[in-house]
Amino acid sequence: MKEDINFERLYYENYNIVVRICLGYLKGNESLAQDLAQEVFVKVWESLGGFKGNSKLSTWIYRITVNTCLLELRKKKYTSDKNIEDIAEINNTEVDARKENQLKKLHGCIQHLSVEKKALILLEMEDVPQKEIADILGLSHEVVRTRIHRIKNNLKKCILNGNI
């Protein structure tokens, strides 16, 4: 299996998503997110021979990403007070201040979610199909749909009222 996969291509196709998922877990600590992304791809390379093909390769990579982030959180009990502005770097100067403020509020609200809810919404925000999210997290598709719907409603309330 390992010989059939172009690892360099796999890395470049998935690296940005892996980093963004890590950023969501690590409260915007970009250097640690990049370090963990590298760790994820080391694990992917080392375990590639054991990939059974029961799911898409990207699903498997995202599962490794979530597990790696959770392990890091347990190891370090990560509690950085990183400013949300570091998470929400917005390079598009045409985006008005209101949208920028809402994005900051969104990321701030996401930081208050439980680890599982954070995994759900971060994968949803990356446009990972909900069936694939279910596979990644070991949940039924119906449970994922329901929880994402509830999380979105809670995030809307948080953004509008400032509490989750």
Side-chain angles (χ1 to χ4, degrees):
M1 179 73 183
K2 201 175 196 179
E3 297 80 26
D4 299 337
I5 297 172
N6 180 337
F7 184 76
E8 186 175 340
R9 184 170 155 234
L10 178 81
Y11 176 87
Y12 286 109
E13 286 176 354
N14 293 282
Y15 178 80
N16 289 332
I17 295 171
V18 168
V19 169
R20 286 191 301 267
I21 292 169
C22 291
L23 277 170
Y25 278 102
L26 302 171
K27 299 181 182 178
N29 185 330
E30 196 167 326
S31 63
L32 184 55
Q34 290 171 346
D35 288 348
L36 283 183
Q38 293 301 320
E39 189 175 321
V40 165
F41 284 103
V42 168
K43 289 177 182 180
V44 167
W45 175 252
E46 290 172 346
S47 304
L48 207 49
F51 176 65
K52 295 178 176 61
N54 295 336
S55 64
K56 289 177 24 182
L57 195 53
S58 60
T59 302
W60 183 67
I61 292 169
Y62 303 153
R63 182 72 216 158
I64 291 172
T65 303
V66 168
N67 287 339
T68 301
C69 291
L70 292 175
L71 182 62
E72 180 67 20
L73 290 174
R74 280 192 292 265
K75 275 189 337 194
K76 301 220 172 149
K77 294 188 179 174
Y78 188 74
T79 56
S80 171
D81 289 327
K82 204 79 163 127
N83 290 332
I84 197 67
E85 295 84 40
D86 293 339
I87 298 170
E89 284 186 46
I90 299 175
N91 296 325
N92 186 353
T93 56
E94 295 176 12
V95 175
D96 65 6
R98 193 180 112 259
K99 287 183 181 179
E100 184 176 344
N101 189 36
Q102 284 182 328
L103 184 59
K104 288 178 184 178
K105 284 181 181 179
L106 173 63
H107 283 286
C109 292
I110 288 172
Q111 294 308 315
H112 294 289
L113 295 174
S114 70
V115 171
E116 183 182 271
K117 289 178 181 177
K118 198 180 287 189
L120 282 165
I121 201 64
L122 291 171
L123 291 167
E124 175 77 3
M125 289 171 68
E126 288 298 331
D127 294 323
V128 175
Q130 289 184 354
K131 286 186 179 189
E132 194 172 332
I133 293 172
D135 290 342
I136 292 167
L137 299 177
L139 301 169
S140 73
H141 179 242
E142 186 59 36
V143 167
V144 167
R145 277 188 27 195
T146 302
R147 289 185 184 170
I148 286 175
H149 178 74
R150 288 180 184 156
I151 292 166
K152 285 179 177 180
N153 285 337
N154 287 337
L155 289 173
K156 285 176 192 173
K157 289 176 190 173
C158 178
I159 291 167
L160 293 174
N161 305 327
N163 58 354
I164 194 155

